[in-house]
Amino acid sequence: MIDTHSHIYSAEFDDDREQVIQRALEAGVTHIILPNEGPDSVPRLLDMQAQWPRHISLALGLHPEEVHDDWSNQLDRLEPLLDRHHWVAIGEVGIDLYWDKTYHHQQMQALERQLGWCVDRGLPFIIHCREALDATLDVLNQFRGQMPQGVFHCFTGTAHEVDRIRAVGDFYFGLGGVLTFKKSQLPLTVPVIGLDRILLETDAPYMAPVPHRGQRNESAYVADVARCLADVLSLDLSTVDRVTTANATTLFPLPCQS
Ligand SMILES: [Zn+2]
């Protein structure tokens, strides 16, 4: 299994990061993608990849909640890093209007510039989109004719929203702990997405799946998401593992997973 979205480089894991990796490996998670949040988190990502090069890949981007008045300077700091290290995606990027709409316009501009990096470098995107589907699709639509590939991470939307996204591009959908929540509508959406466009993720330390809901999330728990997905689709866990791993290696330029 691959955890395609995890923030286990963050301070929440400073006391037991080695055990977190060990538990992930024991749970069958062979690879973990770390999307960064802004320039300041990059050294933590690079440290982890140096320590576990076979199991860790990195994405570079400015998280929408890190977009403020200085967003352009922040991107100026990130852009030279594209040439200096190996990145498997631009992320996480996107638009989040859930808590605060102050930087709505700046978030759109930052997303546009970073999607340009995807086009220039042939890299996929990892999009974080919360209460912002219209704005996100507006920005993506500016790339018609040269649309990058990518994933809508932590997707929690409806079948109608899947259709709207697919009208713009044949993207992937990252599913995490929300799938396992009792009142989740996602089990209705999952068959519409189809297993061939689903990626597994945790978004650790957030969004821990049942039976860990409310606790710190970690990459090992992606196995709980996989089991739930297998139940929802009436498939074997091994099929879910095989297909979602293949999806991740198709989308992201990861080291060989066999
Ligand atoms: Zn994230």
Side-chain angles (χ1 to χ4, degrees), residues 43-55:
R44 285 173 165 269
L45 273 72
L46 294 174
D47 283 350
M48 281 198 71
Q49 199 195 25
Q51 194 168 351
W52 294 284
R54 285 172 53 228
H55 302 299

Side-chain angles (χ1 to χ4, degrees), residues 1-252:
M1 268 168 273
I2 298 180
D3 180 1
T4 60
H5 195 114
S6 181
H7 300 273
I8 52 174
Y9 54 86
S10 66
E12 283 93 334
F13 301 92
D14 281 353
D15 290 338
D16 64 344
R17 193 166 284 106
E18 304 226 353
Q19 292 94 305
V20 165
I21 294 287
Q22 201 53 46
R23 283 195 290 271
L25 293 171
E26 283 161 14
V29 181
T30 54
H31 208 78
I32 302 168
I33 297 176
L34 310 181
N36 91 311
E37 288 154 4
D40 296 337
S41 52
V42 170
R44 285 173 165 269
L45 273 72
L46 294 174
D47 283 350
M48 281 198 71
Q49 199 195 25
Q51 194 168 351
W52 294 284
R54 285 172 53 228
H55 302 299
I56 297 283
S57 291
L58 310 180
L60 186 73
L62 185 64
H63 191 288
E65 288 178 277
E66 301 290 319
V67 171
H68 305 114
D69 286 325
D70 64 346
W71 66 273
S72 185
N73 293 334
Q74 299 290 319
L75 294 188
D76 289 344
R77 286 177 65 195
L78 290 176
E79 192 165 2
L81 300 174
L82 286 168
D83 291 320
R84 260 181 245 154
H85 308 285
H86 180 67
W87 309 98
V88 300
I90 300 299
E92 63 185 283
V93 299
I95 304 177
D96 189 327
L97 305 177
Y98 183 74
W99 295 111
D100 186 358
K101 296 181 175 61
T102 310
Y103 294 104
H104 182 176
H105 188 62
Q106 290 89 336
Q107 288 188 35
M108 290 180 75
Q109 290 176 295
L111 176 59
E112 182 185 347
R113 182 164 157 198
Q114 292 178 95
L115 290 175
W117 296 350
C118 294
V119 174
D120 292 345
R121 315 239 164 198
L123 285 173
F125 59 74
I126 298 171
I127 274 187
H128 167 120
C129 170
R130 191 155 63 148
E131 302 285 322
L133 188 58
D134 287 340
T136 302
L137 295 182
D138 280 353
V139 176
L140 277 166
N141 267 318
Q142 295 173 37
F143 290 85
R144 282 211 174 270
Q146 52 173 2
M147 189 65 72
Q149 186 49 275
V151 56
F152 276 68
H153 118 82
C154 195
F155 186 73
T156 58
T158 62
H160 177 63
E161 286 168 334
V162 172
D163 289 342
R164 289 188 60 204
I165 291 168
R166 282 193 168 147
V168 177
D170 185 16
F171 304 127
Y172 289 81
F173 297 84
L175 302 187
V178 174
L179 178 67
T180 70
F181 295 174
K182 204 171 174 186
K183 289 186 180 157
S184 176
Q185 300 296 305
L186 263 180
L188 301 172
T189 308
V190 160
V192 177
I193 299 173
L195 189 60
D196 64 341
R197 286 297 178 275
I198 291 174
L199 302 179
L200 300 178
E201 63 169 61
T202 56
D203 206 12
Y206 315 108
M207 297 290 181
V210 174
H212 312 284
R213 190 172 181 180
Q215 301 166 21
R216 185 190 70 171
N217 199 0
E218 61 178 71
S219 289
Y221 301 166
V222 83
D224 296 296
V225 178
R227 272 189 285 275
C228 181
L229 185 58
D231 278 352
V232 167
L233 291 172
S234 303
L235 293 169
D236 292 338
L237 180 60
S238 63
T239 303
V240 166
D241 181 359
R242 178 173 48 79
V243 176
T244 56
T245 296
N247 294 344
T249 56
T250 300
L251 179 61
F252 302 111

